[in-house]
Amino acid sequence: MIGPYVLPDDVFDALAAGEGGRPAVLLLRRARRSRNLLLLRRALDGPCGGAAEAAAGLLAAVERVAPEAARSVIDGPAFGTWAARTLRDCPAHGRRGCAGRDLAALTVLAAVRAAHPARITVPVRDGRLALPGLGTVTGLGEAPEALVVVEAAAGAEGMPGTSAGNCRVRVRVLTADGERVLPRDPSRPGHGWQPVAVLDARHRGLTLRVPLETAAPELPALETASAGPAAWRDLLRQAWELLVENHPRRAEELAAGLNGIVPLPAPARGVASATSRHAFGTVLTSWPADPERLALTLLHEFQHSKLSALTDLVTLYEPGGGPRLYAPWRPDPRPPGGLLQGIYAHLGDLAFWQERSGSRHGPAQADAAWRLAQTRAHVERGLTEAAAHVRLTALGTRFLERLARTVRDGDRGGDRDGDRDGAGAGGGNGGERLARAVARVQAGDEAVWRLRWAAADDAGTERLAALWRAGRPAGPLPAQDVRPATGAVAGPGPEFGRWAARQRGAERARPAREAADAVLAAPDRAQGWAELAAAAAEEDRPGADVLRARTELVRDLCARLTARQAPPPGTASPGPPDPLALAAWPADRGVGPVPFGGGPVADAARPPGPPDPLALAAWLAGPAVGTDRSGGGAAADEEGGPGRDPQARGAHPARGSGHVGQGEAGPAPGQACGDGLAVPAESGSAQAPMEPARSPGPDPAADEGPVAPAPPGPGGGFDAGAEPAGGGAPGQKTGVSMSQNARSPLAKTSATG
């Protein structure tokens, strides 16, 4: 039987707010199970069907006698990733390397848990037989495959075993070289047998029980652990106590939906963590070293799983759009799905730091307050970018509006999770100074990102150069292009990281005048542009938003003008222009006194001299940014005088004209975005010691580009950029039909709707 899932309005709104609770997670888990079953049906009907048929038959037989045993495998960490890979890029259809054969390894666990007799052939790779959820047999030599035999004790069939194994069965592994017999209790290690450890934690009556999955062939295998199962178990218990005490609702979600932790090799610095969009409830993470890091990682990564499962049921944005968007938590351009995933995952971080900033004291409290302010700035900037550049559906708009309301409530000190009240980003001890520091870092981070990824149109830049030399207004800014990332992407580098770290203790930014001089002296130094963008924003300079949101244009224009500044032979060159006066000069007038260092000039032609980035930015941001300003107009001064709309500079795209670069820039500091969320000055992110650095995702199909562990400084966070599948509205039947047949969901069916 095939029927559609219905997502109630209240569940949708609760998920959009960042939570959802246990009922919502259980609904998402059931929906993902149905999706996996439909993927299995497609695999059986496709080129890999013959290779997977025997394993699917065993899974169906187990389901008839022990439904929960079969469901635990279908819900498990490896099933969804196996199905997605089989349908996407099977390397060898119909041959021994066919990905469909790997289903056999997954079904062994179901047979063991159900004490169901079975004989199934499983592939062997590099002398290792990996049985997800059970463990790994090593030392099998050159054997390409092994016959796994599950023998059940009399009367034991259908009786569920433990999550790690079943003492009522005997498991034999036969190859051409001989036979291996697993320990009677497969959860115990033995000769040539490495079991999958089961981690359990219990606090205040709430239990979390998950495998430390090291045998899933579709997920990264950990060759050498930084810590053994006992250390992981002890750390999880401490993290679980922290979560249950301080985040009880989210702890309930984790208890209902978390189904595996996959240990990753530790990066050179920080913690690597990831989520596969096809493995609902599975968190991949390196050894976190302390319970706070583990708790934060679980909150962050489980948010990804929730959103990935939600987008199976509803469509939040229109398809299309490559990785061109700015996300302050990542060093590389993001696709629309990746941006939304990052915003949503950071709600978990926001709740974590909200509680920590209110419960700690001294340096620990100051650090938590910084993380809170930084995370909130990240989410706000992400919301602005999504509203400006993602083609949201009606449900997507509703989703982000509800999400923004959660951020606003948190900013006012509200607590949706039953947590303790925490200090907001701008409240309490040094709140204003903290907000300025975060804004400086984010402005600098965005400037560095644009220098790295954005390219201005050559013809448009040359047009601007001619207009500048002629003393004419800039007019509409030229088009821009953001290049997609290819291969591994590291962070912006240690130089910027050191500068960003210094901002935490700085009272104010470097004076904009000094920063501009430094840029003129070393125009290829990215940190100089970061300092200039941060200083201009803090001093509220004209053109500050252009320096942040079109940094590459200002730099390229400055370089183009500098290359042509040499005067004719025998001509005395006037002194360089006074950039502060130029910034306030009425750029929309064709003639007038131009305050160059050599004295007033009566005509509009600009004499040669080093162009000043502050003056260029103010000129580019003229009185009507993004519109044709061919005619004259009133003078525009630094305070937004007559003829200058103070709201035009950096206005949110939803508000019509006035946004920088034809819709390419977000709101100016302090302005509101379309959902009513007040957006502070753009702030970047210095890599937090507590913030997990991200590792390459396990899923090649995900829209997550590989990211190298970030060096000291602002690092990127991994977020599972799931693309939506299907559609529908809350309270209505969705466009994706899911199998809900409790008797035999493995029966051959076809999707409808």
Side-chain angles (χ1 to χ4, degrees), residues 39 104 108 124 212 228 240 307 332 359 426 457 495 564-565 642 669 677 732:
L39 292 178
V108 171
V124 174
L212 187 67
W240 188 241
L307 185 55
D332 54 341
S359 62
D457 176 69
E495 183 184 41
R564 300 183 61 179
Q565 70 175 358
L677 176 64
Q732 298 179 1

Side-chain angles (χ1 to χ4, degrees), residues 490-520:
E495 183 184 41
F496 178 80
R498 288 189 291 269
W499 172 82
R502 289 196 299 272
Q503 301 313 303
R504 293 186 61 174
E507 184 64 34
R508 295 191 64 82
R510 182 180 189 178
R513 178 65 272 152
E514 290 185 14
D517 292 340
V519 163
L520 289 174

Side-chain angles (χ1 to χ4, degrees), residues 112-370:
V112 170
R113 286 180 174 171
H116 183 78
R119 295 173 64 89
I120 190 80
T121 300
V122 181
V124 174
R125 293 182 175 88
D126 300 322
R128 300 166 61 91
L129 174 66
L131 302 174
L134 279 178
T136 303
V137 181
T138 61
L140 295 182
E142 301 297 326
E145 59 188 20
L147 178 65
V148 178
V149 180
V150 179
E151 300 171 343
E157 184 175 355
M159 298 176 61
T162 67
S163 60
N166 191 332
C167 297
R168 292 181 301 277
V169 299
R170 181 170 180 252
V171 181
R172 299 158 55 210
V173 177
L174 288 76
T175 66
D177 296 331
E179 179 185 53
R180 293 279 189 90
V181 179
L182 272 57
R184 179 66 68 174
D185 181 358
S187 64
R188 296 183 177 277
H191 177 67
W193 172 246
Q194 300 172 358
V196 168
V198 176
L199 310 180
D200 51 10
R202 183 178 179 86
H203 186 68
R204 293 188 179 273
L206 198 58
T207 300
L208 180 68
R209 186 177 179 86
V210 295
L212 187 67
E213 184 58 80
T214 55
E218 305 299 327
L219 297 170
L222 186 67
E223 298 295 339
T224 56
S226 301
W232 276 98
R233 188 174 293 109
D234 183 62
L235 191 67
L236 180 64
R237 287 171 179 170
Q238 296 177 63
W240 188 241
E241 181 177 346
L242 186 156
L243 289 169
V244 172
E245 289 287 342
N246 302 309
H247 306 276
R249 295 180 186 176
R250 287 180 168 82
E252 291 176 357
E253 291 183 352
L254 290 169
L258 191 67
N259 66 9
I261 295 177
V262 179
L264 296 174
R269 178 181 181 271
V271 176
S273 68
T275 305
S276 169
R277 62 177 176 175
H278 300 296
F280 177 79
T282 302
V283 172
L284 296 84
T285 179
S286 61
W287 173 246
D290 63 69
E292 283 194 351
R293 286 176 183 260
L294 180 55
L296 176 61
T297 300
L298 294 179
L299 288 177
H300 182 99
E301 300 299 342
F302 193 66
Q303 290 289 107
H304 286 312
S305 282
K306 287 160 56 180
L307 185 55
S308 295
L310 177 63
T311 53
D312 288 340
L313 301 176
V314 297
T315 300
L316 299 180
Y317 63 96
E318 298 297 331
R324 301 288 194 275
L325 307 180
Y326 173 66
W329 53 86
R330 290 280 297 206
D332 54 341
R334 309 302 298 132
L339 177 65
L340 296 183
Q341 279 280 353
I343 294 170
Y344 194 69
H346 276 78
L347 287 186
D349 300 25
L350 200 62
F352 181 87
W353 293 120
Q354 180 80 38
E355 186 279 326
R356 301 310 279 173
S357 66
S359 62
R360 299 172 123 188
H361 304 282
Q365 192 279 333
D367 183 74
W370 169 267

Side-chain angles (χ1 to χ4, degrees), residues 600-697:
V601 179
D603 62 9
R606 301 181 189 276
D612 182 80
L614 286 174
L616 285 174
W619 176 70
L620 291 171
V625 175
T627 61
D628 185 3
R629 301 177 297 146
S630 57
D637 59 23
E638 292 190 35
E639 300 300 321
R644 181 185 180 98
D645 179 4
Q647 298 300 319
R649 183 161 53 93
H652 191 277
R655 304 193 182 281
S657 65
H659 52 282
V660 175
Q662 300 172 333
E664 294 299 336
Q671 289 188 256
C673 67
D675 52 26
L677 176 64
V679 180
E682 311 300 341
S683 64
S685 65
Q687 174 86 7
M690 280 292 302
E691 184 175 7
R694 310 297 178 186
S695 70

Side-chain angles (χ1 to χ4, degrees), residues 54-83:
L58 173 59
L59 192 59
V62 170
E63 186 199 32
R64 286 192 290 270
V65 297
E68 286 303 317
R71 290 172 191 165
S72 68
V73 171
I74 298 167
D75 292 346
F79 194 94
T81 50
W82 165 81

